[in-house]
Amino acid sequence: MELNEKDLLSLVKRAVRGNAEAYGTLITHYQTYLYRVAFLYVKNEDLALDAVSECILQAFQSVRTLKKPEYFKTWLTKILIHCAIDLFRQTLPVAPMDTVQVAAPQPNISAEEKWDLYDAIDVLPERYRTVIILKYFSDMTISEIAYAMNIPEGSVKAYLSRARGELRHCLKEDYLYAI
């Protein structure tokens, strides 16, 4: 069942009031998105699933504290980022190259170039990596990223600019200029 914005907002409001079924429906709606974002952080299927599970639990325990229902997805993403980073710090992620799924296919970019890009993103400072993932792989707006990271919008713009600069410097290839 496809949910529109009005339906989603109604479900969030019911979940905030304690309706577990509404919360479950929301999680079902966002499960693929959550997994994709977690995988971009930890680069391992099992760890990504663990991060999503931890996020779902933490969000369920604190959903009543959500003040702006229209920011549910962003709020959930914020929790997921913290869970994924915590798991990433606890383990060294290792994923065989043949099992990694590319999150956002780009036209006219070879597999080797994608791996170079992902490797370059991995070595960025955490705050730069986060804004790149949220902007280009999760299609979040500047204001949503600012909310998720709890920083001003100007900082998000600065981080994006600096991250793109570091990626250009690291890769020195024309395919990156599409970012």
Side-chain angles (χ1 to χ4, degrees):
M1 175 172 114
E2 190 62 32
L3 299 171
N4 62 36
E5 291 299 316
K6 185 179 177 183
D7 293 336
L8 288 171
L9 189 57
S10 174
L11 284 168
V12 172
K13 288 178 180 177
R14 289 183 10 225
V16 168
R17 288 192 302 267
N19 186 319
E21 187 176 324
Y23 180 79
T25 302
L26 287 165
I27 294 304
T28 300
H29 178 76
Y30 289 117
Q31 68 187 0
T32 302
Y33 164 79
L34 292 171
Y35 173 77
R36 190 174 40 136
V37 171
F39 190 87
L40 286 168
Y41 272 91
V42 298
K43 307 285 188 291
N44 176 289
E45 184 177 340
D46 292 333
L47 289 176
L49 291 171
D50 288 347
V52 170
S53 296
E54 183 63 25
C55 166
I56 291 169
L57 178 62
Q58 286 183 20
F60 182 72
Q61 291 171 342
S62 61
V63 71
R64 291 178 183 249
T65 65
L66 180 63
K67 292 179 179 26
K68 295 183 178 183
E70 62 273 14
Y71 285 117
F72 177 79
K73 181 180 177 184
T74 307
W75 173 80
L76 193 60
T77 303
K78 182 178 184 176
I79 294 170
L80 178 64
I81 290 168
H82 290 293
C83 292
I85 289 172
D86 286 346
L87 279 173
F88 185 77
R89 287 180 179 157
Q90 292 172 9
T91 62
L92 291 175
V94 177
M97 292 201 35
D98 61 344
T99 64
V100 174
Q101 301 168 358
V102 176
Q106 299 294 322
N108 303 322
I109 297 177
S110 71
E112 182 179 299
E113 291 170 329
K114 287 177 187 175
W115 283 112
D116 290 345
L117 176 60
Y118 292 148
D119 288 344
I121 290 170
D122 284 345
V123 298
L124 288 173
E126 187 176 297
R127 64 185 179 270
Y128 295 172
R129 183 173 58 247
T130 298
V131 296
I132 289 291
I133 289 171
L134 294 179
K135 177 70 176 162
Y136 297 107
F137 294 91
S138 299
D139 296 322
M140 292 179 103
T141 66
I142 299 294
S143 60
E144 289 172 330
I145 296 168
Y147 180 81
M149 294 180 67
N150 200 27
I151 60 174
E153 288 183 23
S155 295
V156 172
K157 292 175 185 176
Y159 291 174
L160 279 170
S161 176
R162 291 177 193 147
R164 286 189 297 249
E166 285 192 29
L167 288 172
R168 280 187 194 102
H169 177 73
C170 180
L171 295 170
K172 296 180 185 169
E173 297 286 340
D174 290 338
Y175 66 84
L176 179 63
Y177 292 107
I179 290 184

